[in-house]
Amino acid sequence: MDNTPRILVFAGSARKESLNRKLAAAAHQMIQDAGGVSTLLDAAEVSLPLYNQDLEENGLPEEALRLKKIFAEHDALLIASPEYNSSITPFLKNLIDWVSRPTEGEEMTAQFRGKVAGLVSASPSGLGGMRALVHVRDILGNIGVLVIPEQKAIPNAFDVFDEEGKIQDENVVKGVRTVVESLVASTQKLKG
Ligand SMILES: Cc1cc2nc3c(=O)[nH]c(=O)nc-3n(C[C@H](O)[C@H](O)[C@H](O)COP(=O)(O)O)c2cc1C
């Protein structure tokens, strides 16, 4: 059986110049270098309404179904999460909430249970978004995701990416690569 980990990478921000979208793109490349199969889900192409249970009256919206299918095709998640008021962004929480919703006959949070996740963050501040990662880790853990202990929060991130979105600082590259390599190895082990 092919046990190459299939990893879904995305950012918790849809902003045009998002630092975390750049970080997700960099991690996507590193996953492939580490022997994983990576899909980069562009947050800017996600168009989910703000979650409201009334919107499920006639079944889940097409966009939620599309995302659930993409999640189902992957073994692991690599999330680049910004920090808003020391926590998760509404964009990321909304995405998690929609994907967690079951279709008929399906268990709640089926697209999360048994998956592995790695977390990274980028912020212009000195803490690099690490307070958000505490909350993202907690949320994912509570819906059955095994979040690996390695994580990387990148402070002063406006100075870290060049025009093409490439990470300029070798120590930062090393930190993100540590997360990626651990995610690939952990997922591979769990897949047997
Ligand atoms: C509503 C709001 C709250 C924010 N709160 C924090 C914060 O608590 N900590 C932090 O490091 N940055 C905070 N920021 C700044 C973000 O880190 C910054 O806008 C960053 O670029 C967002 O990520 P992105 O570039 O991927 O969109 C906040 C920004 C917004 C809009």
Side-chain angles (χ1 to χ4, degrees), residues 13 15 18-20 82-86 123-125 131:
S13 168
R15 198 169 72 80
S18 164
L19 297 163
N20 287 279
E83 177 175 297
Y84 276 8
N85 296 314
S86 57
S123 158
S125 84
R131 293 174 304 181

Side-chain angles (χ1 to χ4, degrees), residues 139-170:
I139 292 164
L140 292 176
N142 286 328
I143 54 175
V145 178
L146 180 70
V147 187
I148 60 167
E150 294 82 2
Q151 62 180 35
K152 177 67 185 168
I154 305 172
N156 310 314
F158 283 145
D159 302 328
V160 166
F161 297 92
D162 69 12
E163 303 264 291
E164 277 100 50
K166 196 161 175 279
I167 303 174
Q168 290 303 293
D169 181 327
E170 260 318 299

Side-chain angles (χ1 to χ4, degrees), residues 34-150:
V37 170
S38 179
T39 306
L40 183 60
L41 172 68
D42 189 353
E45 287 171 9
V46 171
S47 67
L48 289 166
L50 181 61
Y51 184 80
N52 174 337
Q53 211 163 348
D54 291 342
L55 298 175
E56 289 191 31
E57 260 167 19
N58 301 311
L60 291 174
E62 281 303 314
E63 180 66 343
L65 293 172
R66 179 182 82 88
L67 291 169
K68 278 168 65 75
K69 182 165 180 291
I70 294 172
F71 270 65
E73 290 163 356
H74 292 82
D75 309 302
L77 311 171
L78 190 290
I79 304 177
S81 170
E83 177 175 297
Y84 276 8
N85 296 314
S86 57
S87 190
I88 189 170
T89 58
F91 175 88
L92 180 55
K93 185 61 165 57
N94 195 48
L95 189 154
I96 292 172
D97 288 346
W98 273 116
V99 174
S100 76
R101 299 300 298 155
T103 51
E104 210 175 317
E106 193 182 50
E107 303 237 339
M108 278 278 291
T109 68
Q111 269 70 40
F112 289 97
R113 302 213 157 267
K115 285 205 166 65
V116 187
L119 305 180
V120 291
S121 64
S123 158
S125 84
L127 291 178
M130 67 167 67
R131 293 174 304 181
L133 297 189
V134 175
H135 294 177
V136 178
R137 178 178 292 281
D138 190 42
I139 292 164
L140 292 176
N142 286 328
I143 54 175
V145 178
L146 180 70
V147 187
I148 60 167
E150 294 82 2

